[in-house]
Amino acid sequence: MNGWTTSELMAAEMSRHIADGEVAIMGAVSALPMAACRLAQATHAPASWFVAGGSGAVNPHATPLPQSSCDDRLLDAACVLPLPEVVMLEGRGDVFDVFFAGGLQIDAFGNTNLERIGRAEHPRLKGPGGVGLSFLPLAGRVVIYTMTHDPRTLVEQVDFVSGPAKSLTGRGPVLIVTPLCTMDFDPDTGRARLRTVHPGVTADQVRAATGFALAVQDSVPETEPPSRRDLEVLRRLA
Amino acid sequence: MNGWTTSELMAAEMSRHIADGEVAIMGAVSALPMAACRLAQATHAPASWFVAGGSGAVNPHATPLPQSSCDDRLLDAACVLPLPEVVMLEGRGDVFDVFFAGGLQIDAFGNTNLERIGRAEHPRLKGPGGVGLSFLPLAGRVVIYTMTHDPRTLVEQVDFVSGPAKSLTGRGPVLIVTPLCTMDFDPDTGRARLRTVHPGVTADQVRAATGFALAVQDSVPETEPPSRRDLEVLRRLA
Amino acid sequence: MSSKVVSTHDAVAALSFKTLAAGGMHMHNNPMAVVFEIVRQERRIERLITSPSAALAADVLIGAGLVDEVATSYIGFEHLGLAPCFRRAAEAGAVRVLNLDEASITHGLYAGASGLPFAVLPPALELSDVWRSNPTGYRKVIDPFTGVAVLATEAIRPDVAVIHAAEADERGTAWLAGASFTDRLMAMASKRVVVQAERVVSSQTMKEHPAGSTIPGFLVTAVVEAPGGCRPTASHGNYAYDEAALQEYLRMARTAEGFAEWMPRAVPAAR
Amino acid sequence: MSSKVVSTHDAVAALSFKTLAAGGMHMHNNPMAVVFEIVRQERRIERLITSPSAALAADVLIGAGLVDEVATSYIGFEHLGLAPCFRRAAEAGAVRVLNLDEASITHGLYAGASGLPFAVLPPALELSDVWRSNPTGYRKVIDPFTGVAVLATEAIRPDVAVIHAAEADERGTAWLAGASFTDRLMAMASKRVVVQAERVVSSQTMKEHPAGSTIPGFLVTAVVEAPGGCRPTASHGNYAYDEAALQEYLRMARTAEGFAEWMPRAVPAAR
C-alpha cells in the first residue's frame, strides 16, 4: 500500500484511457469508471463527457460519487437524458468513444459474460444478465475492468458471450484492468497479453491468477501509480 | 345569425360527439375541435381528455384558445407529452376514441385528402400533406370537419387518400360537420348521408353545394343550436 | 368526476393479466407496495417483464413462486450482489428465463407503445449470445431496403404495468420524480397501468411538472397511495434505498427458508 | 476548453452535407437565422428533411431554389394558409416531394437515432396512399413472427440537423424551451447538429433544466447565438410568431418575383 489503494490505482489507470473531448459510457456497478471519468475531467481531459449508466446523467457533479449508477444524486449533472435515449444512442455506433464493461467472466479475447457460469440448463451460477453489454461492438473502444483477478474470472473462453469482443464500428476491447495488472491485446492473435503489473505484483503472480495462457514479455513495466493530484481528486469523490 | 356564429354551431355540434371519459386528438388548424373539446369538458363530459395536436398538451387550460396547435400557451395543461410520444400512442389503436380530421377534399365515403388536387404529376393544387391522417384507421371514431362546403371540397372520390375511411380498430368516420349541415354514414353503402341541416339551411342548398350524390331523407332535422351555456363557454375561449 | 384512487388490495384484485411489467431500475423506484400485495393475493404471473435492470420487485415475485417465466436483461442488486431468488430459481430451472438485452427491452417497449408489429435491432446485437439463447424472443428479418438479414425482437405489450410515481392525481396523471428510467415507456406500452404514488395530489399541482416527466391519466387504470411504497428500495426525490435492509434481504433470501422468513416481516399481512 | 460557439456564417460555411434536417413545427421554432445564412451562402440541399409539420424554414429554402428533394409530411402555415413556394415548386415539378407521414418521420428518426437498419410501421399506414406515392421511402417487410407483410420505412439519418434552442452553452448543450416537438429526436438522429440559440449561457444555468428538455453537447457540432433567430416564427418561451409578417410573406411569396423581393428584406445580407 504505497499510499494508495488498488481501487485508486485502477481508477487512475482507467482515467488515462479517456482522451480530451471523448464520450464515455458505463453500466451498473460503475463507481470505479465514474471515478475514472471524473478524474480525467479534473486532469488531462477537461472536455471529456460521460453518461452515468441507468441514471442518464451526463457529467454528474455529485461529490462524493454515489455507488449506484441509478442514484438520484447523479441527476445534478450537465444535463440528463431519459434512459431510453441513452439506449437509442448506444445503437448509433458513432457516439460513445469508450465503453467501460465488467463481467463474471472475461476471456482471453476480451469477451465478457454476465449471464451464467456453466451450461444453459442448470448453470452452476446464474448471473444477473448482460443489460447493455451487447452494445460493445458499437463502442469506439472497450475498457474492461474487474475487481476479481482469479482463474474463474479470467478464462480461456466465456461460457456465454454477453459482451462481444468483436467490434463493428470501433476497435473493440483495448484494455483489461484488474487488481493485479493491466492487459492489452495482441493485434495478431487478438489475445490478451500482460501490459503492466501493479507495483508489488510479479508477472508470475498474474500468470498464476489467470485462467488462460497469458503472453508475457521479458520485461513488463509497472503500472503508473496515481499522482498526488490524482489521489486528491479520487479521495474527494470517495 | 340567430345569436350564434356558424363556428359556434359547429363547435357545439362536435362537442356532443365526445362522451365522458373519452380521449380525443386533433392535428393542425384545430381551433374548432379544441373549442369543441373544451366545451364538452365544461358541460357533459368533464372527465374527457384531449391532446392538442403538435404541442403534445393534454387538456390545455389556455383561455382564450390559441389558433395554432403548436402554440406554447397550450403547455399550461394537465400534463404535456413530448410530440414523439403522441405519435407513438396514435399507433396503438386503443388510446384515442375520437380523431378530429379535416381535408382539402372529403369524399362520399369519408376519405380525406390533404395531399393534392389533380394528378400526381403537376397537380392543380399541391396541398401541405397529410401529417397524421394516415392514423385514422386506428382511432375509435373519426369526426371530419371543414369550413368549406362546396363541390370541390366534398367530392365523390378524393384524388389522394391521406386519411383512410377504412378502420382497423374502430368505427371509422361517423360524422362530417360543415358550415351547412352534418352528415353521417349509411351502414349499408358506407356513403355519407344528410343527418341534420343547420338552422336556415335547406337540404337542396346542401345538395347543390355537395360534389357527390348525397342521400337525403324526407324530413331532415335541424342541427341543435348551441345552448346559452354553450355560447358562454365558447365565447370565453374565442 | 370519479376518482381512480383505490386501495392497494382493490387495485390488485381488479387486475386481470397474464403478462405483468414492473418498473424501477436497480434499487430505485421498485413498486414494492403493489408487488407485496400481488404476493399477498398470490397472483400468478405467466410472464414477468422487467426494466433493463430489475432488482427487488422481480426477485420477490420470483421468490414467492408466482412467476412462470421472466423476460429480462438483468436481475441483480448492482454492487450489493446477485439476486438470490432469481439465481436459485434459474439454476434450479424453476423459472424460465427469456434472455433479452437493454436494447431489446427498450425497442420492444417502444414497438409496444407505438403499435409496431415488431422491433428491428441494431446490427451489433447479433454478435452476442443473447438472441441465440432466446428463440421465442428473436427472429431474423430481411431488411427490405438492403436485402440483408437483421435481428428483430417481439413488440412488448404487457397486460399490466406497475409503476411507482412521486405524485399522482385522482384522474391518474402521475409524475415520476428524478430519473424515470424506462417506466414511462413501460406505461405507454401496457394495456393497463397501475400507479403507486408517494402522494396523491391535486391536478393543479400535477400540471407544474415538465413535459416528459408524467404519465397522462388516460393511460392509467388505478392509482394507489403508497407513501414509502418503494422501501427498502429508493424512491427518487423522496428517500434513498435502505442498504442495511437490502443487505439483510440478500442474506436471508439466500435460502428458500430465509426468504419465507423475510417475507412476512416485509409484508405484515402476507401469508 | 474550446468553445463551440461560432458565427452563423462560419457555422454554415463549415458544414458538409447532402441531407439537411430543419427543426420546428408549424410557425414555431423554425431555425431561421441559420436557414437565412444557408440561403445567403447558396448551399445546395440534395434532400431536405422536415419535422412532421414544416413551415417557413422549408418554404424559404425551397423558394430559394436550393432544395432538390424534400422528405416531409406537411409544409404549410396552418390556419394562415398554404406554403407558397413549396406549392409553386411542387406543382411545377421543380422540387421532388418524398411523401411521408408523421409516423414515418417519427419512427424513421427514432431508427436513425438508434442505429436501427430501418423502421417498421403500424399496420394502419398501409391504408393511405402515402406509401404508394413514395416507393423510395417505403417497402414491405415480412414480419418474422407472424409471416405477414407489413410496412417499413427508411431510417432517417440526416447529415446535418439545424435546431433552434432557447439556450445553449459553450460546450454545445442546448435547452429547448416549451414544446420540443421532434427536434431532440432529429438532433439524436443526425450526424452533425447546429444549434441556434436565443442566448448563450453558462453551463451552470444549463444544468437546471429537466431531463428530456436538452440536447447533450457531445451531439452538437456548433452553437450560434441568434437572438430573435426564429422570427417571424415563434420561439417557444421567448416570443410569439409575428402574424402580420407571416401574412405578408404569404402574400408576397405567392409569386417567384414577390419571394425574390421579400428575401433581401428578411435577410439584409442576402444576394
Side-chain angles (χ1 to χ4, degrees):
Chain A
M1 273 299 176
N2 304 300
W4 32 260
T5 68
T6 301
S7 292
E8 286 165 348
L9 177 73
M10 291 173 70
E13 178 60 27
M14 287 159 73
S15 81
R16 293 177 199 122
H17 295 270
I18 302 161
D20 203 21
E22 287 193 325
V23 188
I25 189 163
M26 59 213 57
V29 198
S30 48
L32 201 58
M34 279 200 278
C37 290
R38 286 283 288 274
L39 178 56
Q41 291 177 339
T43 54
H44 65 281
S48 62
W49 303 85
F50 73 103
V51 178
S55 71
V58 177
N59 291 356
H61 304 296
T63 303
L65 274 169
Q67 289 287 309
S68 169
S69 61
C70 290
D71 203 286
D72 57 2
R73 285 170 294 175
L74 292 167
L75 304 178
D76 176 21
C79 66
V80 180
L81 286 170
L83 178 55
E85 297 181 359
V86 176
V87 177
M88 290 163 64
L89 292 173
E90 285 181 292
R92 265 186 51 164
D94 59 353
V95 172
F96 296 109
D97 301 296
V98 181
F99 199 130
F100 290 102
L104 294 168
Q105 288 182 328
I106 298 157
D107 77 14
F109 302 91
N111 294 294
T112 48
N113 171 16
L114 270 171
E115 184 59 32
R116 59 173 155 83
I117 296 180
R119 292 166 311 152
E121 303 282 310
H122 303 297
R124 281 205 308 287
L125 188 156
K126 175 70 186 84
V131 204
L133 289 184
S134 42
F135 274 130
L136 295 186
L138 293 173
R141 308 188 300 283
V142 176
V143 172
I144 299 169
Y145 64 105
T146 177
M147 293 310 292
T148 317
H149 191 145
D150 65 26
R152 290 183 313 169
T153 304
L154 289 145
V155 297
E156 176 61 25
Q157 199 187 335
V158 291
D159 293 344
F160 184 99
V161 178
S162 300
K166 187 177 172 191
S167 185
L168 287 185
T169 58
R171 288 170 52 200
V174 293
L175 192 76
I176 302 175
V177 182
T178 83
L180 299 182
C181 68
T182 73
M183 303 175 186
D184 60 8
F185 293 85
D186 184 319
D188 294 330
T189 65
R191 289 182 67 92
R193 61 186 182 190
L194 192 57
R195 177 175 165 274
T196 64
V197 286
H198 297 343
V201 178
T202 66
D204 282 348
Q205 282 176 300
V206 174
R207 223 191 244 120
T210 303
F212 57 83
L214 181 68
V216 179
Q217 288 171 285
D218 282 348
S219 112
V220 182
E222 266 199 0
T223 311
E224 189 187 330
S227 68
R228 181 175 297 188
R229 171 76 182 130
D230 291 345
L231 291 173
E232 273 171 30
V233 174
L234 290 172
R235 282 168 192 176
R236 239 187 298 123
L237 296 174
Chain B
M1 274 301 175
N2 304 300
W4 31 260
T5 68
T6 301
S7 293
E8 285 166 349
L9 177 73
M10 291 173 70
E13 178 60 28
M14 287 159 74
S15 81
R16 294 178 197 121
H17 295 269
I18 302 161
D20 203 20
E22 287 193 326
V23 188
I25 189 163
M26 60 213 56
V29 197
S30 49
L32 201 59
M34 279 200 276
C37 290
R38 287 284 289 274
L39 178 57
Q41 292 177 338
T43 55
H44 65 282
S48 63
W49 302 85
F50 73 102
V51 179
S55 70
V58 177
N59 291 356
H61 303 297
T63 303
L65 275 168
Q67 288 287 309
S68 170
S69 62
C70 289
D71 203 287
D72 56 3
R73 286 170 292 176
L74 292 167
L75 304 177
D76 175 21
C79 65
V80 179
L81 287 168
L83 178 55
E85 297 181 358
V86 177
V87 177
M88 289 163 65
L89 292 173
E90 285 182 291
R92 265 185 53 163
D94 60 353
V95 172
F96 296 109
D97 300 296
V98 181
F99 199 129
F100 289 103
L104 294 168
Q105 288 183 328
I106 299 157
D107 76 15
F109 302 90
N111 294 293
T112 48
N113 170 18
L114 270 171
E115 184 58 33
R116 59 174 155 85
I117 295 180
R119 292 166 311 152
E121 302 284 308
H122 302 298
R124 280 204 310 285
L125 189 156
K126 175 68 185 83
V131 203
L133 289 184
S134 42
F135 273 130
L136 295 186
L138 293 173
R141 306 188 301 283
V142 176
V143 172
I144 299 169
Y145 64 104
T146 178
M147 293 311 292
T148 316
H149 191 144
D150 64 27
R152 290 183 315 171
T153 304
L154 289 144
V155 297
E156 175 62 26
Q157 200 187 335
V158 291
D159 293 343
F160 185 100
V161 177
S162 300
K166 188 177 172 190
S167 185
L168 287 184
T169 59
R171 288 170 52 200
V174 294
L175 191 75
I176 303 176
V177 182
T178 82
L180 299 181
C181 70
T182 74
M183 302 175 186
D184 60 8
F185 293 85
D186 184 319
D188 295 329
T189 64
R191 289 182 66 92
R193 62 188 181 188
L194 191 57
R195 177 176 166 272
T196 65
V197 287
H198 297 343
V201 177
T202 67
D204 281 348
Q205 281 178 302
V206 173
R207 222 190 245 120
T210 303
F212 57 82
L214 181 68
V216 179
Q217 288 170 285
D218 282 347
S219 110
V220 182
E222 266 198 359
T223 312
E224 190 187 329
S227 70
R228 182 174 297 189
R229 169 78 181 130
D230 291 345
L231 291 172
E232 272 172 30
V233 174
L234 289 172
R235 284 169 190 176
R236 238 186 301 122
L237 296 173
Chain C
M1 220 178 297
S2 70
S3 169
K4 290 181 178 171
V5 179
V6 294
S7 70
T8 313
H9 175 275
D10 291 358
V12 171
L15 289 177
S16 160
F17 59 84
K18 292 184 173 176
T19 57
L20 181 110
M25 275 279 287
H26 289 301
M27 302 85 77
H28 305 270
N29 295 357
N30 285 219
M32 297 313 300
V34 173
V35 163
F36 286 142
E37 182 62 30
I38 289 172
V39 173
R40 213 192 59 78
Q41 296 185 24
E42 295 181 351
R43 299 296 305 272
R44 177 145 298 277
I45 301 162
E46 289 189 17
R47 183 181 294 184
L48 175 66
I49 296 153
T50 79
S51 78
S53 294
L56 189 65
D59 205 53
V60 160
L61 290 169
I62 293 166
L66 298 176
V67 178
D68 294 341
E69 60 185 26
V70 57
T72 189
S73 65
Y74 178 103
I75 306 178
F77 287 76
E78 216 177 347
H79 56 289
L80 303 180
L82 299 175
C85 295
F86 171 57
R87 185 184 165 183
R88 187 168 55 246
E91 289 172 5
V95 66
R96 189 167 166 236
V97 182
L98 302 174
N99 260 325
L100 298 171
D101 52 33
E102 64 173 4
S104 307
I105 293 178
T106 302
H107 297 311
L109 288 172
Y110 180 89
S114 308
L116 311 183
F118 62 95
V120 195
L121 294 171
L125 303 189
E126 273 184 56
L127 298 173
S128 92
D129 285 340
V130 174
W131 71 279
R132 281 187 201 85
S133 71
N134 179 4
T136 66
Y138 293 97
R139 298 278 159 83
K140 288 292 186 85
V141 62
I142 306 298
D143 180 336
F145 295 95
T146 63
V148 173
V150 299
L151 203 58
T153 190
E154 289 182 298
I156 302 176
R157 292 195 181 85
D159 291 329
V160 170
V162 181
I163 302 294
H164 180 76
E167 299 177 355
D169 68 20
E170 292 202 333
R171 301 200 59 197
T173 301
W175 172 55
L176 281 62
S180 55
F181 307 121
T182 47
D183 287 2
R184 296 180 63 257
L185 193 53
M186 199 177 259
M188 287 190 282
S190 298
K191 290 171 201 144
R192 293 183 192 283
V193 179
V194 175
V195 167
Q196 64 162 59
E198 293 289 335
R199 296 172 296 282
V200 172
V201 300
S202 73
S203 298
Q204 199 58 29
T205 303
M206 190 56 56
K207 80 189 188 69
E208 301 306 319
H209 300 305
S213 68
T214 53
I215 299 169
F218 58 76
L219 294 179
V220 174
T221 309
V223 170
V224 160
E225 188 162 37
C230 295
R231 292 189 195 278
T233 73
S235 169
H236 270 203
N238 290 287
Y239 40 86
Y241 58 88
D242 181 339
E243 185 163 333
L246 288 172
Q247 295 282 18
E248 192 195 10
Y249 173 79
L250 295 180
R251 202 167 46 246
M252 292 187 71
R254 209 172 293 160
T255 64
E257 298 67 35
F259 176 78
E261 207 178 310
W262 180 88
M263 269 310 280
R265 286 200 222 163
V267 204
R271 296 292 140 93
Chain D
M1 219 177 298
S2 70
S3 168
K4 290 182 178 171
V5 180
V6 293
S7 70
T8 315
H9 174 276
D10 291 357
V12 171
L15 290 176
S16 159
F17 59 83
K18 291 183 174 178
T19 57
L20 181 110
M25 276 279 285
H26 290 301
M27 300 85 76
H28 306 268
N29 295 357
N30 286 218
M32 297 312 300
V34 174
V35 163
F36 286 142
E37 183 62 29
I38 289 171
V39 173
R40 213 191 59 76
Q41 296 186 23
E42 295 182 350
R43 299 296 306 271
R44 175 146 298 277
I45 301 162
E46 289 189 17
R47 183 182 293 185
L48 175 66
I49 295 154
T50 80
S51 78
S53 294
L56 189 65
D59 205 53
V60 160
L61 291 169
I62 292 166
L66 298 175
V67 179
D68 294 342
E69 60 186 27
V70 56
T72 189
S73 65
Y74 177 103
I75 306 177
F77 287 77
E78 217 178 345
H79 56 289
L80 303 181
L82 299 175
C85 295
F86 172 57
R87 185 183 165 184
R88 189 167 54 245
E91 290 172 5
V95 66
R96 188 168 167 233
V97 182
L98 302 174
N99 260 325
L100 298 170
D101 52 33
E102 66 174 3
S104 307
I105 293 178
T106 303
H107 297 312
L109 288 171
Y110 180 89
S114 306
L116 312 182
F118 61 95
V120 196
L121 294 171
L125 303 190
E126 273 184 57
L127 298 173
S128 91
D129 286 339
V130 174
W131 71 279
R132 281 186 202 86
S133 71
N134 180 4
T136 65
Y138 293 97
R139 296 279 159 82
K140 288 292 187 85
V141 63
I142 306 298
D143 179 337
F145 295 95
T146 64
V148 173
V150 298
L151 203 58
T153 190
E154 288 181 296
I156 302 176
R157 292 194 181 86
D159 292 328
V160 170
V162 181
I163 302 293
H164 180 77
E167 299 176 357
D169 69 19
E170 292 202 333
R171 300 200 59 197
T173 301
W175 172 54
L176 280 62
S180 54
F181 306 121
T182 47
D183 287 3
R184 296 180 63 256
L185 193 53
M186 199 176 259
M188 288 191 281
S190 297
K191 289 171 202 146
R192 294 184 190 284
V193 179
V194 175
V195 167
Q196 64 162 60
E198 293 290 336
R199 297 172 294 282
V200 171
V201 300
S202 73
S203 298
Q204 200 57 30
T205 303
M206 190 56 55
K207 81 188 187 67
E208 301 306 318
H209 299 305
S213 68
T214 53
I215 299 169
F218 59 77
L219 294 179
V220 173
T221 309
V223 170
V224 160
E225 188 162 36
C230 295
R231 292 188 196 277
T233 74
S235 169
H236 270 204
N238 291 288
Y239 41 86
Y241 58 88
D242 182 339
E243 186 166 332
L246 288 172
Q247 295 283 19
E248 192 195 9
Y249 173 79
L250 295 180
R251 203 168 45 246
M252 292 188 70
R254 209 171 292 159
T255 63
E257 297 69 34
F259 176 76
E261 206 178 312
W262 181 87
M263 269 308 282
R265 286 200 223 162
V267 205
R271 298 292 141 92

